[in-house]
Amino acid sequence: MKALRRILSLQMRMRLRQLNPFDRTQNEKKSTGFRRLIGIIILLLMLAGMAIFLEFKILDALLVLKMEKLILGIIVFAAMLSTLFFGLFQCLSTFYFAKDTAQYAALPISGRTLYAARAIQVYLSECILSLLLILPASILLMIRTGFDILFLLRVILVALLAPVLPLSIGALLSALLASFSGLWRHRDAITMVGSIVLVMIQVVVNYSLGQVTGNLADDPELMLRFLTGRMDMIDMITGAFPPIRWAAHGLDGNWGELLLFCLVTLASAALVIWLCSRHYIEAALRAEEHPVTHHKGSLSKTAFRRHRPVVSLLSREMHEILRSPTYLVNEIMGTIFLPVIMTVGMGFGFASNFDGDLMAALDEILGANIGIAIPAAILTALVCFMAGMNSVASTSVSREGRHHGIYRNLPVRGSTCLWAKFLSGYIFSIIGIAIVTIVGMIALPKFCLIFALTALWSLLMCLIDCIIGIIIDVSRPRFHWNTEQEAMKQNFNQVLTMLIGMLIIGLLGFLTYGLFAWGMSEKGYIAVITLLLVILSAALGVWMHFKTSQRYACIDG
Amino acid sequence: MIVFDHLSKSYGHSDVLAVDQLDLTIPSGELFGFIGPNGAGKTTTIKMLTGILTPTSGDCFIDGISIRKNPMEAKRMIGYVPDGSDLFDRVTGIEYLRFIADMYDVSEADFRTRLDYYLDLFDLKDAAASQIRSYSKGMRQKTATIGALIHDPKVFILDEPMMGLDPKSSYLLKEEMKRQCSLGKTVFFSTHVLEVAEKLCTRIAIIRHGKLAAEGTLEELRNREKAESLEEIFLELTGEGEGENE
Ligand SMILES: Nc1ncnc2c1ncn2[C@@H]1O[C@H](COP(=O)(O)OP(=O)(O)OP(=O)(O)O)[C@@H](O)[C@H]1O
Ligand SMILES: [Mg+2]
């Protein structure tokens, strides 16, 4: 127990210092600390603002329908699902790919203690998400419907416990994956394929959970039953996973279900920690053993071929990403998976809602006078909203980590390094967009033009996103990380890039509105937007090539 | 006392053995040098001895306690300085050492006296309050060494301990190793500096391709190989017949 406390306090201290903007080595200026602090505050405000705005809107709509209690179900649902989603990678990388495991292994610490300490660490870092989702909505609800101290207590209890169950599932899955892949020689490949499969399963589960709610809108009879009050909406939304229902009912004042929720949650955590911490250190250290291949004289000819520096740098970046499960899965998720799922999902959505006369329905919706520009703009915004999470580009400098010195030492221009990094990220965007376009064109051949325009705009927009990501990462790189998950996912630079990307999309949205209101023709609008995007990407490209590369060449690791 | 019992290791399901049926007994009070070419399996052996790697087969015993069956108790007796000394970087030297001491249940009084002694010895008093990420390589190495000695271990294990140390620190470390040895502790270290091994060690083992090539006092090795210096013996034992077991 004492050892657990000590490990925890050490981890906390390191984590807090990592987050503390004023924690610096002697050679950093004090003003950087202030700038960082301000940046972090703005970022947090923006994130919280977005969550609050969204929840506010939902609550408003629900109040009109006199179904405000429904928000409780929705937020618990959202908190648990998103924790499940991010938690899997968090667990995998914290438990099985941390770089400091060997340091702990030499000390007389039992695997169980170390596992428990790390589990608490994972929990604490995922807790923030749940608090951010659940607290604002509940407080808004209280403001609207009256203050109640017991309700507040229940909210805090649920917000704190909500991440536990999904994280237990994530921990269990990652333990299974780690021990399964440990049986094989090509461990990394299996881990990678395994985590992609798990993600796909999650997506399917999410999708089918989403369908449950979707059904309500489709089914007039259900709707009627619901409106006449013969059906509990919370049950409807959360029927698929009972703990969510218990939590939602518990929030609503059912102490029995609240107790049930707490007990099930805590029991699941205890069970998972007990199960997974057996032989934990051995399992975790397996990540440090690499298969030895003895190819005497059998090196392929390509191994000797000469390349230009930028090509070599690019292939090094790609190797790093392709050989690390954490990097690859994170990247594929954001840049390729989400946009594809979205378009495919939308396609199915249309198809199931208007069976048979799909085309007629779409024609009707789009109307003859809207043409291709608006749908393409909306689709672009959606694709880029997700593909903008290009974590490869926006963390490419931070990911150098301890090896930054090697790059600085190369007799290669900074701009060459940066373009290689840019390409390594942009390639993934291109793949994502290509899939979306091809799937779209095949599924809805009539709207080929829309998809073509979407592809063009998305390519430009993602290019901008990638360059911005690199510019930001160069200006505030974070070299001290311990797990690849930290290097990539827990990198504020990535979020910052995403937000700036969204801001640009938002501004373009306003511009669209303005231009059409002003009476511009469709062709003119397409030309203006395309031109704007081209100019912006060229300007950013020039900026990165000259300014940022200078800065890159003088970062102190 | 350290005993290796038919110790073998292959990494990641490969069929190549990094350490191959190693048998060795090192009595207490011995200052034991472990030498061999790059990739011979020194670090691998040491990692199995300290419980960081699980042997593929065989076992290690520290004072008769198996590291596989009773890892916690065995680890309590070990002080280990890894090669490369990758330490937690966002803690200060003092915090790091106190953490290590906590893991071994060192009382506050003991901690203070030992800390004073070693910080003085290695000239780290000034740096101890700043974070490890601001340390130089040698400073990290010294911090790791103090960390290994802070709980007064029965067995002191070092992997290439002189790497990165300045001449004075290197001298001090050697003296410290001798002192530990004279207190009846077992000191086991790997090195590439043959002069150090020659001057310091009471016994030496040479390992090659994961197998024990020779073991004994310097005198015994000299007589057996009919060579004068350790360098000649080393080259003799590890150089010839490169292709013999490929
Ligand atoms: N993490 C690892 N994964 C796979 N194989 C490894 C790993 N570490 C070492 N090996 C292999 O094990 C063998 C022994 O390596 P080891 O590090 O023990 O050598 P060493 O004697 O310490 O060498 P050096 O003098 O260079 O430090 C080598 O063939 C090496 O390729
Ligand atoms: Mg070594």
Side-chain angles (χ1 to χ4, degrees), chain A residues 9 108 120 160 271 280 365 404 418 492:
Chain A
S9 88
I120 295 176
L160 288 179
L271 184 69
Y280 167 61
I365 294 171
H404 174 66
L418 292 187
F492 266 129

Side-chain angles (χ1 to χ4, degrees), chain B residues 42-44 83 159-160 190 192:
Chain B
K42 301 182 293 296
T43 303
T44 309
D83 63 339
D159 198 354
E160 296 184 28
S190 78
H192 286 301

Side-chain angles (χ1 to χ4, degrees), chain A residues 239-496:
Chain A
F241 190 57
I244 302 184
R245 188 174 64 229
W246 301 332
H249 282 168
L251 277 181
D252 199 17
N254 186 332
W255 289 96
E257 293 200 21
L258 188 66
L259 189 66
L260 187 62
F261 172 71
C262 296
L263 288 180
V264 167
T265 300
L266 294 177
S268 76
L271 184 69
V272 165
I273 290 182
W274 182 76
L275 275 179
C276 301
S277 63
R278 282 193 66 205
H279 306 301
Y280 167 61
I281 293 187
E282 284 161 46
L285 280 172
R286 236 177 262 141
E288 305 214 341
E289 293 186 24
H290 311 288
V292 185
T293 33
H294 274 244
H295 36 203
K296 261 203 219 139
S298 66
L299 280 171
S300 66
K301 281 224 173 83
T302 49
F304 300 103
R305 193 174 298 152
R306 183 179 169 182
H307 299 289
R308 302 200 4 231
V310 67
V311 178
S312 264
L313 284 166
L314 173 61
S315 72
R316 206 213 68 83
E317 296 276 339
M318 293 307 282
H319 275 152
E320 183 183 87
I321 295 156
L322 296 178
R323 286 181 185 161
S324 148
T326 317
Y327 290 160
L328 188 69
V329 172
N330 269 318
E331 178 60 12
I332 289 188
M333 274 293 304
T335 322
I336 302 183
F337 245 55
L338 289 182
V340 171
I341 287 165
M342 180 207 70
T343 20
V344 173
M346 274 196 348
F348 278 131
F350 274 126
S352 58
N353 284 337
F354 305 93
D355 339 272
D357 38 24
L358 167 69
M359 292 303 146
L362 270 184
D363 265 352
E364 196 183 309
I365 294 171
L366 297 176
N369 51 348
I370 294 184
I372 65 166
I374 296 283
I378 293 173
L379 208 53
T380 306
L382 282 175
V383 168
C384 293
F385 178 69
M386 293 168 179
M389 293 209 265
N390 194 319
S391 30
V392 165
S394 56
T395 60
S396 56
V397 180
S398 299
R399 271 187 291 114
E400 287 174 7
R402 294 161 217 226
H403 306 304
H404 174 66
I406 300 178
Y407 282 83
R408 271 199 72 173
N409 178 252
L410 294 176
V412 174
R413 263 191 240 113
S415 53
T416 314
C417 289
L418 292 187
W419 282 114
K421 289 178 190 304
F422 161 77
L423 282 176
S424 68
Y426 195 45
I427 285 175
F428 287 98
S429 300
I430 295 179
I431 296 175
I433 294 169
I435 298 179
V436 168
T437 312
I438 293 168
V439 169
M441 284 182 170
I442 292 175
L444 304 167
K446 211 175 160 203
F447 302 103
C448 258
L449 268 182
I450 294 181
F451 283 107
L453 191 60
T454 304
L456 174 71
W457 282 347
S458 304
L459 282 174
L460 285 169
M461 194 56 219
C462 285
L463 190 147
I464 293 170
D465 274 339
C466 287
I467 296 184
I468 292 177
I470 288 178
I471 293 178
I472 290 177
D473 205 29
V474 168
S475 68
R476 44 196 298 288
R478 189 184 137 194
F479 292 123
H480 295 275
W481 41 264
N482 197 29
T483 64
E484 293 179 338
Q485 185 79 0
E486 273 175 47
M488 194 170 232
K489 198 90 244 158
Q490 290 166 21
N491 194 330
F492 266 129
N493 295 354
Q494 192 201 344
V495 184
L496 204 62

Side-chain angles (χ1 to χ4, degrees), chain A residues 500-523:
Chain A
I500 295 183
M502 287 182 199
L503 197 71
I504 296 179
I505 293 177
L507 288 178
L508 290 176
F510 274 120
L511 185 68
T512 305
Y513 185 76
L515 287 178
F516 278 107
W518 187 53
M520 180 167 264
S521 75
E522 185 178 41
K523 286 211 179 81

Side-chain angles (χ1 to χ4, degrees), chain B:
Chain B
M1 191 167 83
I2 303 173
V3 176
F4 296 107
D5 178 22
H6 289 84
L7 191 67
S8 298
K9 174 76 187 176
S10 75
Y11 280 103
H13 300 285
S14 84
D15 14 282
V16 191
L17 286 172
V19 173
D20 192 357
Q21 297 282 331
L22 188 68
D23 269 314
L24 201 60
T25 304
I26 303 160
S28 302
E30 201 86 69
L31 214 170
F32 197 95
F34 199 44
I35 57 183
N38 292 132
K42 301 182 293 296
T43 303
T44 309
T45 308
I46 289 181
K47 281 188 171 166
M48 287 191 280
L49 177 60
T50 51
I52 296 178
L53 282 176
T54 314
T56 311
S57 68
D59 203 346
C60 314
F61 297 89
I62 315 259
D63 271 6
I65 295 174
S66 153
I67 189 87
R68 292 188 82 168
K69 300 211 184 72
N70 211 338
M72 299 289 271
E73 230 176 290
K75 282 178 189 174
R76 281 191 176 280
M77 294 191 277
I78 299 176
Y80 164 55
V81 186
D83 63 339
S85 356
D86 200 359
L87 305 178
F88 304 110
D89 41 21
R90 275 183 203 260
V91 288
T92 66
I94 298 264
E95 285 168 345
Y96 172 77
L97 293 171
R98 184 62 251 187
F99 172 73
I100 301 288
D102 281 334
M103 293 300 117
Y104 291 94
D105 265 333
V106 179
S107 74
E108 197 175 324
D110 283 346
F111 179 69
R112 272 179 193 280
T113 36
R114 287 179 204 153
L115 189 73
D116 272 344
Y117 173 75
Y118 286 118
L119 286 184
D120 241 3
L121 184 69
F122 288 119
D123 197 20
L124 274 180
K125 270 242 152 70
D126 299 331
S130 41
Q131 285 183 27
I132 291 183
R133 65 193 173 119
S134 70
Y135 285 14
S136 73
K137 183 179 155 93
M139 287 156 84
R140 279 168 207 242
Q141 183 79 21
K142 287 193 261 183
T143 312
T145 310
I146 301 178
L149 288 168
I150 202 81
H151 63 285
D152 195 21
K154 279 193 179 158
V155 176
F156 187 30
I157 301 166
L158 308 95
D159 198 354
E160 296 184 28
M162 312 299 167
M163 278 243 290
L165 292 188
D166 61 44
K168 185 174 164 221
S169 311
S170 173
Y171 168 78
L172 290 170
L173 178 60
K174 281 182 262 178
E175 291 302 304
E176 181 59 32
M177 285 158 70
K178 278 191 209 155
R179 192 178 79 100
Q180 292 288 331
C181 193
S182 67
L183 291 173
K185 315 279 173 65
T186 317
V187 181
F188 180 81
F189 74 108
S190 78
T191 185
H192 286 301
V193 193
L194 297 180
E195 292 79 55
V196 171
E198 211 162 18
K199 280 203 199 106
L200 208 59
C201 298
T202 53
R203 283 170 92 81
I204 294 171
I206 300 178
I207 176 177
R208 172 171 182 256
H209 291 312
K211 291 200 184 86
L212 197 63
E215 190 256 320
T217 61
L218 190 57
E219 217 38 58
E220 286 169 12
L221 292 179
R222 272 192 193 133
N223 293 337
R224 205 176 312 154
E225 295 300 320
K226 312 220 172 358
E228 217 12 70
S229 69
L230 184 58
E231 189 172 21
E232 281 170 44
I233 299 171
F234 184 87
L235 293 176
E236 183 76 13
L237 282 172
T238 59
E240 37 93 66
E242 251 319 289
E244 101 204 8
N245 54 357
E246 307 295 328

